[in-house]
Amino acid sequence: MRILGVDPGTRVVGYGLVDRGEAGFTYVECGVIRLAESDPMPARLLTLAGELSAIIHEYRPAVVALETAFHGVNASSALKLGQARGAVMLIAAQHQLELAEYAPALVKRAVVGHGRATKQEVQIRIQRLCRLSREPTSDAADALALALCHAQLGGRVDLSARTARRPR
């Protein structure tokens, strides 16, 4: 099964693709979609939708892995991120793709081994796991981490009730 991880944003959107098979996973591709800051938000979301649709047409994933909304950011940032997440969800639905959402700490734990990993730790671990010649950008690494989290956990556990905290 091919998995597309997407790290949404309003300026830079990371994407990463892996194939999950019986023997584990295989790296396919990763990169970023850059959205012009000078464009109004509707134009940025349209660009995001078009670029993501092109990636889906080219690579034909079966599922999109996305981070759940997180708290602790200011209201304006949360609203903008929510708009980008909504655009990703819409494109997934238009292409009839399954959508899986994972808490940020769960993604970090699945990839790095603990839920408080730094961006740098995620990048280094993704580079090693995917056998990349160089460290991916933080946005592409986060997207690959989402795809790998789904490759490890998707369909095998009920994540809707699972929290990012460790058992006491």
Side-chain angles (χ1 to χ4, degrees):
M1 168 191 349
R2 182 155 290 171
I3 304 160
L4 170 61
V6 180
D7 180 37
T10 57
R11 291 179 288 169
V12 180
V13 178
Y15 68 91
L17 293 121
V18 297
D19 285 336
R20 180 178 75 187
E22 303 250 341
F25 78 92
T26 306
Y27 167 80
V28 176
E29 177 66 24
C30 74
V32 295
I33 301 167
R34 298 203 183 275
L35 306 173
E37 285 185 66
S38 59
D39 284 350
M41 186 59 70
R44 286 192 237 175
L45 295 175
L46 183 61
T47 299
L48 168 58
E51 294 290 327
L52 197 54
S53 284
I55 290 166
I56 290 168
H57 280 295
E58 182 175 352
Y59 292 102
R60 306 274 184 220
V63 61
V64 174
L66 188 62
E67 232 174 42
T68 57
F70 58 93
H71 309 284
V73 296
N74 69 47
S76 176
S77 296
L79 179 61
K80 289 176 185 175
L81 180 59
Q83 291 170 332
R85 282 176 36 82
V88 173
M89 290 176 174
L90 175 64
I91 294 305
Q94 284 180 332
H95 291 276
Q96 299 177 352
L97 299 176
E98 176 188 339
L99 180 73
E101 294 184 80
Y102 298 96
L106 180 61
V107 174
K108 291 175 182 178
R109 190 168 51 235
V111 174
V112 179
H114 62 91
R116 295 185 181 266
T118 65
K119 290 255 186 209
Q120 181 69 35
E121 288 174 311
V122 171
Q123 286 175 279
I124 290 168
R125 187 70 177 143
I126 289 296
Q127 180 182 8
R128 287 183 188 145
L129 288 171
C130 294
R131 297 182 183 104
L132 302 174
S133 60
R134 61 186 164 94
E135 207 171 88
T137 67
S138 64
D139 299 291
D142 287 350
L144 278 170
L146 281 157
L148 290 176
C149 180
H150 187 76
Q152 289 179 17
L153 303 176
R156 291 196 282 246
V157 295
D158 178 12
L159 296 171
S160 61
R162 192 168 180 175
T163 66
R165 295 185 185 147
R166 294 179 192 205
R168 294 178 196 215

